[in-house]
Amino acid sequence: TTAPDVADVVDRVDTTAPEDVADTSTAPETTDVAPRLDIVDTADTSDEGPPPPDPCLLEGDLLAHVDQARMLTDLEALIGLGERATPEGQAAALDYVRAQLELLDDAVITEHAYSWAGKQWTNLEATFAGAGQADTWVLAGAHVDATSETPTIFSPGADDDASGVAAVLEIARALDGCAPERSVRLLFFTNGEGGVVGSEAYVTHLPDD
């Protein structure tokens, strides 16, 4: 008994619908759906997958942080000082090294002062605290001074030892933000050409343990 009533309702709706209502029952008549979907579609950014692995935890991946162009910049800056034999020249080299280390977040910079030949000298150290075995240490160092036949006038020392200083600086940059298992101390010695004076003074200064 209800079928005729339903039919009457359907007929009434069909006959009274406004003629200007858009018919969306067929795809060809719809022109604005795709652009509207593009605006709200976040599929491209919502499914990026898992984050990339932490390079600090992967063996060998710290090498990916090494920038040869940056090392060359360090090398050229040290050579460009002209001489690194006098107290002033060595101080200028340490100033450059310190400025680079101060750009890093994790390096704890400390000076080690010592006396030699009637003058005061300074070694520079940068420490990265170990996350696990903090009481065991890895040390790496280079000397900032250079010599030549006329050391107080011109001693560029590209490979003795500006390249070593550049390498140790780059180790510092690679370690920044990547807490090592053991503590790492990077050392920049003065008076290496005078008979490893700076490094010997530093070792003497170390505690017995």
Side-chain angles (χ1 to χ4, degrees):
T1 59
T2 60
D5 296 336
V6 172
D8 289 342
V9 172
V10 172
D11 288 341
R12 245 187 349 264
V13 171
D14 289 343
T15 57
T16 59
E19 293 182 359
D20 60 348
V21 173
D23 180 8
T24 60
S25 62
T26 57
E29 298 297 326
T30 302
T31 60
D32 64 339
V33 173
R36 291 170 62 186
L37 288 176
D38 288 344
I39 293 173
V40 299
D41 184 11
T42 59
D44 292 340
T45 59
S46 63
D47 187 17
E48 296 179 350
D54 185 349
C56 301
L57 302 180
L58 300 179
E59 183 177 355
D61 274 23
L62 284 177
L63 292 176
H65 295 186
V66 174
D67 187 329
Q68 294 184 36
R70 188 164 53 195
M71 293 177 69
L72 183 59
T73 297
D74 293 334
L75 187 63
E76 291 174 339
L78 292 167
I79 293 171
L81 295 175
E83 64 88 7
R84 302 198 310 280
T86 66
E88 295 77 17
Q90 294 190 54
L94 285 180
D95 286 344
Y96 176 82
V97 170
R98 185 185 292 103
Q100 299 307 305
L101 293 173
E102 288 175 347
L103 298 175
L104 308 180
D105 293 327
D106 296 340
V108 178
I109 305 168
T110 308
E111 291 186 351
H112 164 243
Y114 67 96
S115 299
W116 178 66
K119 295 183 176 65
Q120 287 295 117
W121 305 86
T122 300
N123 295 319
L124 198 63
E125 61 183 45
T127 301
F128 294 83
Q133 304 178 51
D135 292 334
T136 58
W137 295 83
V138 177
L139 307 181
H143 63 89
V144 299
D145 60 313
T147 192
S148 70
E149 293 180 356
T150 56
T152 62
I153 298 172
F154 183 67
S155 49
D159 270 341
D160 191 8
D161 190 21
S163 58
V165 173
V168 177
L169 274 176
E170 197 64 12
I171 292 172
R173 294 172 182 131
L175 287 175
D176 197 41
C178 294
E181 175 68 13
R182 296 169 176 81
S183 295
V184 175
R185 179 161 291 170
L186 304 178
L187 299 155
F188 302 89
F189 300 116
T190 47
N191 294 311
E193 298 289 359
V196 295
V197 173
S199 54
E200 189 173 74
Y202 181 81
V203 171
T204 303
H205 158 78
L206 289 176
D208 292 339
D209 59 354

